[in-house]
């Protein structure tokens, strides 16, 4: 919705620029100018509709619904879910080659579910999408329509829960059964952390050997640039090649543990950017010699913890009844869990290799600074773990005007915490435990874009033991073909790339509503304030230094996956 009278850039000019850029998002103009000339100008600029202020809110909502329906009908003429297909161009619904005879409202209801297949639709959402305010029925009428739709689907051969009820929330299409895919995945036996670290180190050695010639070629380019610089004959083409070689070495060496060599290469890159004086050439020679000497040491990457066990921590604040309910529900679902009350018990539980959850029974009000520090230290020694804090203390603390003190305690415990009320009924507890089970079964999808194959190979080996679905791209322009289909849970971008750099990619993604909430991490060799500010302004969530990739990558990945994935599971 665009107002016409806006400062700097009016709505009509904005609409023209939007259309000239190829963006076909529906545009509804709002204005107090009721002349037909203004309407014509607005529509000619590319607007789809026009509403004059003041307007009735019912009219505005109706026009919005029309535009959304028109847009959706142009997107996907044939919608499919399992063995059901809906052809919106001929208004035909088929299940297992059987045509369903649906009423217009049943047809639109099914179409709404198919177009929102990844959402739970509340009754309010269904009412708003399918009925005008004047004709909106009661919420009970929605249940009747869904019952009739289920009956017709069942008659065609579909299961009775093709459209399933999410109690207390709404309805959704029943998800595909993923048991078969899970069975196909290789089931790895639990391994000790020491063995996993040894395997990763061996794989990184293999990658280092594989790219030994590449790194040797980069050193050769730097040696050529060094000779030319000292001879005062460094041409622009060789200068550009040397900057590129130094940049790639700075990033590549860091991930293998050659931190000092990475710093030397970074300094050489900076010198090449300001080359002009012979004395700088001598400094470059000294750095080159130091770089070559640093590579004579053994490969020693600083590996982070690689324990595959990542249980969800359910921290229950002073609520014995909820603890009993969680224990009962997890036992019923045959989930592996452990109940702990003391720091030492939590430490032992985290050392186990097959837990789905840890139920931590405690009282936040009785926490001393020492107890908080003990728990925080234990949590800090492992990979970031998803944590839900069940507490009603915020309400009590607010009454006592002690809310700041309480939140400081929470913040010191673990910054991956999601807050949840502890006063829950049985049905809500069941839903939460079921969501946790789904969260544990889900394999995170991560997409990495970097033009350096050495970096990509290293990341593959670092993430391989962690049950992650990893996709890597070495061309930034390929992102647009891959990301809509993959729908990653997290994206990792290199900053410096040809065609489109990581910051430009991030800006484009943030302008697309589909990817505005996608966690985006950046790999960079440059940790200067300017680069970090550019990353954050573009919409990046965090930075990973290439000189410390082996120690920072996995913890930072789980920092951002925990909250997003767990929150998605709980909401759905």
């Amino acid at each position: 919705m665009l107002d016409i009278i806006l400062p700097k850039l009016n709505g009509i000019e904005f609409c023209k620029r939007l259309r000239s850029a190829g963006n076909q998002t529906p545009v509804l103009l709002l204005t107090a100018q009721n002349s037909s000339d203004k309407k014509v100008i607005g529509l000619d600029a590319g607007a789809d509709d026009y509403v004059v202020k003041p307007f009735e809110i019912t009219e505005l909502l109706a026009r919005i619904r029309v535009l959304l329906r028109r847009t959706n009908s142009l997107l996907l003429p044939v919608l499919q879910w399992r063995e059901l297909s809906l052809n919106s161009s001929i208004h035909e619904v088929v299940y297992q080659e059987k045509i369903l005879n649906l009423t217009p409202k049943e047809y639109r209801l099914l179409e709404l579910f198919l177009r929102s297949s990844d959402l739970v639709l509340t009754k309010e959402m269904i009412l708003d999408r399918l009925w005008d305010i004047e004709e909106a029925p009661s919420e009970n009428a929605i249940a009747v329509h869904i019952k009739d739709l289920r009956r017709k689907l069942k008659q065609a051969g579909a299961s009775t829960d093709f459209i399933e009820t999410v109690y207390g929330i709404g309805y959704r299409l029943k998800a595909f059964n993923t048991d078969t895919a899970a069975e196909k995945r290789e089931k790895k036996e639990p391994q000790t952390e020491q063995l996993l670290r040894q395997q990763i180190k061996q794989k990184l050695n293999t990658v280092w050997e594989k790219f030994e010639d590449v790194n040797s070629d980069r050193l050769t380019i730097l040696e050529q640039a060094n000779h030319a610089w000292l001879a005062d004959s460094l041409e622009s083409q060789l200068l550009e090649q040397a900057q590129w070689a130094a940049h790639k070495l700075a990033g590549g060496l860091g991930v293998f543990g050659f931190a000092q060599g990475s710093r030397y290469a970074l300094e050489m890159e900076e010198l090449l950017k300001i080359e002009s004086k012979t004395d700088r050439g001598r400094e470059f020679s000294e750095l080159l010699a130091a770089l070559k000497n640093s590579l004579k040491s053994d490969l020693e990457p600083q590996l982070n913890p690689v324990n595959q066990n990542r249980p969800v921590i359910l921290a229950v604040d002073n609520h014995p009844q909820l603890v009993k309910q969680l224990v009962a529900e997890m036992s019923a679902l045959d989930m592996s869990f452990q109940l702990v009350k003391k720091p030492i018990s939590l430490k032992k539980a985290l050392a186990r290799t097959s837990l789905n959850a840890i139920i931590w029974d405690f009282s936040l009000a009785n926490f001393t600074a020492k107890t908080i520090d003990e728990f925080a230290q234990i949590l800090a020694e492992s990979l970031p773990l998803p944590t839900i804090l069940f507490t009603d203390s915020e309400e009590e603390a607010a009454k006592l005007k002690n809310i700041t003190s309480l939140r400081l305690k929470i913040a010191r415990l673990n910054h991956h915490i999601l807050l949840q009320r502890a006063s829950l009924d049985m049905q809500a507890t069941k839903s939460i435990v079921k969501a946790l089970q789904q969260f544990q079964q889900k394999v995170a999808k991560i997409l990495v874009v970097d033009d350096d194959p050495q970096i990509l190979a290293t990341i593959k080996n670092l993430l391989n033991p962690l049950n992650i679905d990893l996709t890597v791209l070495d061309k930034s322009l390929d992102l647009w073909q891959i990301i809509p289909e993959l729908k990653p849970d997290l994206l990792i971008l290199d900053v410096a790339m040809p065609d489109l750099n990581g910051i430009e990619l991030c800006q484009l993604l943030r302008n697309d509503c589909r990817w505005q909430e996608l966690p985006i991490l950046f790999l960079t060799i440059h940790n200067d304030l300017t680069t970090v500010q550019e990353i954050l302004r573009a919409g990046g969530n965090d930075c990973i230094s290439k000189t410390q990739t082996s120690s920072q990558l996995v913890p930072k990945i789980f920092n951002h996956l925990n909250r997003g994935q767990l929150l998605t599971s709980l909401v759905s």
Side-chain angles (χ1 to χ4, degrees), residues 356-511:
N356 299 127
I358 296 173
I359 302 174
W360 173 17
D361 184 9
F362 73 105
S363 172
L364 191 59
N366 296 331
F367 256 22
T368 64
K370 181 181 178 183
T371 314
I372 291 176
D373 289 340
E374 287 176 352
F375 275 113
Q377 180 62 34
I378 291 169
L379 293 172
E381 289 172 356
S382 66
L383 285 177
L385 296 173
T387 303
I388 305 175
L389 172 59
F390 295 87
T391 181
D392 293 325
S393 296
E394 279 215 337
E395 297 172 11
E396 298 301 320
K399 293 175 185 176
L400 299 172
K401 298 182 179 180
N402 196 27
I403 193 75
T404 302
S405 174
L406 176 77
R407 287 179 174 169
L408 282 173
K409 286 184 178 181
I410 294 172
R412 290 182 63 192
L413 277 174
N414 184 349
H415 63 281
H416 314 292
I417 280 180
L418 291 171
L419 286 174
Q420 170 69 48
R421 288 183 64 247
S423 301
L424 300 170
D425 58 29
M426 286 293 293
Q427 191 58 54
T429 307
K430 285 183 179 181
S431 298
I432 286 175
V433 173
K434 187 175 180 181
L436 294 180
Q437 187 183 43
Q438 294 170 347
F439 169 74
Q440 287 287 6
Q441 293 170 349
K442 183 177 180 181
V443 177
K445 293 186 289 187
I446 296 178
L447 176 60
V448 183
V449 186
D450 194 307
D451 64 320
D452 190 340
Q454 185 174 340
I455 296 289
L456 294 177
T458 305
I459 290 174
K460 280 183 180 179
N461 285 291
L462 287 171
L463 300 184
N464 183 57
L466 297 171
N467 194 28
I468 284 174
D469 181 1
L470 181 67
T471 302
V472 298
L473 296 176
D474 59 2
K475 293 182 177 64
S476 58
L477 294 179
D478 290 345
L479 177 71
W480 310 111
Q481 283 73 46
I482 297 295
I483 196 169
E485 182 179 349
L486 181 64
K487 295 180 180 176
D489 298 300
L490 185 139
L491 175 64
I492 301 175
L493 297 173
D494 186 19
V495 172
M497 292 186 288
D499 298 321
L500 280 173
N501 65 46
I503 292 174
E504 292 168 334
L505 283 177
C506 185
Q507 289 171 329
L508 292 171
L509 288 167
R510 292 306 190 216
N511 287 332

Side-chain angles (χ1 to χ4, degrees), residues 279-329:
D279 60 335
R280 288 288 191 176
R282 295 193 189 96
E283 186 179 344
F284 185 85
S285 296
E286 293 170 1
L287 286 170
L288 179 58
L291 170 60
K292 291 162 71 173
N293 190 55
S294 71
L295 300 182
K296 294 177 182 178
S297 58
D298 293 333
L299 180 69
E300 283 295 336
Q302 296 178 342
L303 298 178
N304 41 255
V306 289
N307 194 336
Q308 293 165 302
N309 180 43
R310 298 187 57 256
V312 177
I313 297 178
L314 304 177
V316 183
D317 173 25
N318 197 26
H319 208 296
Q321 183 60 33
L322 178 58
V323 171
K324 290 180 182 178
Q325 291 175 8
L326 290 170
V327 168
E329 293 302 327

